[in-house]
Amino acid sequence: QQQVKQSPQSLIVQKGGISIINCAYENTAFDYFPWYQQFPGKGPALLIAIRPDVSEKKEGRFTISFNKSAKQFSLHIMDSQPGDSATYFCAASRWAAGNKLTFGGGTRVLVKP
Amino acid sequence: DVKVTQSSRYLVKRTGEKVFLECVQDMDHENMFWYRQDPGLGLRLIYFSYDVKMKEKGDIPEGYSVSREKKERFSLILESASTNQTSMYLCASTDRSTIYFGEGSWLTVV
């Protein structure tokens, strides 16, 4: 039973294009929604995170959009670059629960030059 | 910089062997985690610890145990390795604002 569902599983985008990854969650108690980026052979690293009191957060070319009523959130990578090629994971947690994250299944993004 | 170090990056073990995966963090974090990463399934929580000698089961604890004798060290133990435990194992620690991951331990059970 996967509490956080992520799509698509893989994505190919041209350099300069927009990459969009979507996640849906079930547990309404979740109150922290981070995105992690993982390069081959490395552990995941925090990319950007959002709390449900805002609907959007932007850091550079990365934007999280959050829809609390639909229990969905998404990552947009603007002006995608070959260096963005990586696996991206969405996650969710209850802040009070010691930050135990529940992860989505991951999206492998390939940015073609 | 926070460092989470997993000492064994690549291991090959035989079915039935006892396997120890070690993890050390250098930031005095109270909470530490062990996750398992499999394609299409993302990361799944095996165990976590919120203090020395304290542990709690995650979503998939069967076949695993953990040990936390010192604050900086969190070990994952496979009592009797099986082929379905072939996976990448990720250790993490948190200061309650950000979770930091190690680089992973690739375990193959033959």
Side-chain angles (χ1 to χ4, degrees), chain B:
Chain B
D1 270 1
V2 175
K3 199 159 177 69
V4 179
T5 303
Q6 295 181 234
S7 51
S8 301
R9 294 296 314 276
Y10 302 95
L11 306 94
V12 180
K13 298 292 182 180
R14 294 195 179 277
T15 300
E17 274 192 81
K18 191 168 186 176
V19 181
F20 292 87
L21 299 180
E22 307 286 343
C23 175
V24 176
Q25 49 98 359
D26 65 356
M27 284 301 291
D28 202 37
H29 290 165
E30 290 181 348
N31 293 4
M32 296 187 73
F33 308 86
W34 275 105
Y35 283 89
R36 171 179 170 158
Q37 182 176 357
D38 299 287
L41 297 177
L43 283 71
R44 293 178 292 166
L45 182 63
I46 304 172
Y47 266 97
F48 79 102
S49 169
Y50 46 92
D51 204 348
V52 175
K53 297 191 187 294
M54 307 299 280
K55 61 185 179 185
E56 219 171 281
K57 293 180 180 179
D59 299 319
I60 53 164
E62 296 78 20
Y64 304 95
S65 63
V66 290
S67 171
R68 192 153 179 215
E69 297 295 320
K70 293 184 177 182
K71 193 173 186 179
E72 68 270 19
R73 189 178 299 268
F74 191 34
S75 302
L76 180 70
I77 303 157
L78 288 68
E79 295 289 343
S80 177
S82 63
T83 54
N84 62 13
Q85 292 178 311
T86 291
S87 187
M88 181 160 91
Y89 292 88
L90 286 160
C91 176
S93 71
T94 181
D95 57 7
R96 299 299 298 268
S97 67
T98 302
I99 290 185
Y100 301 90
F101 283 90
E103 296 203 324
S105 298
W106 287 94
L107 172 65
T108 300
V109 183
V110 297

Side-chain angles (χ1 to χ4, degrees), chain A:
Chain A
Q1 169 195 358
Q2 201 163 26
Q3 291 192 52
V4 178
K5 294 184 179 178
Q6 183 172 346
S7 63
Q9 284 193 323
S10 63
L11 183 58
I12 299 175
V13 63
Q14 292 294 131
K15 179 182 174 182
I18 302 173
S19 305
I20 302 174
I21 306 169
N22 299 299
C23 283
Y25 63 97
E26 298 170 5
N27 188 343
T28 55
F30 287 149
D31 57 9
Y32 175 66
F33 302 90
W35 284 88
Y36 279 79
Q37 180 187 54
Q38 184 181 33
F39 293 107
K42 300 291 186 181
L46 179 66
L47 184 64
I48 186 172
I50 197 168
R51 294 195 174 278
D53 52 345
V54 296
S55 60
E56 186 174 284
K57 183 173 182 180
K58 185 176 181 179
E59 288 184 6
R61 294 183 294 106
F62 300 91
T63 300
I64 300 179
S65 298
F66 184 80
N67 185 330
K68 188 173 181 179
S69 60
K71 294 187 287 184
Q72 295 176 346
F73 58 110
S74 60
L75 177 70
H76 294 229
I77 307 174
M78 313 300 286
D79 187 27
S80 297
Q81 300 296 312
D84 297 331
S85 296
T87 300
Y88 294 82
F89 294 96
C90 63
S93 72
R94 286 175 50 229
W95 191 253
N99 218 359
K100 287 184 293 179
L101 290 172
T102 299
F103 284 84
T107 298
R108 183 174 287 186
V109 174
L110 176 64
V111 182
K112 290 195 166 184

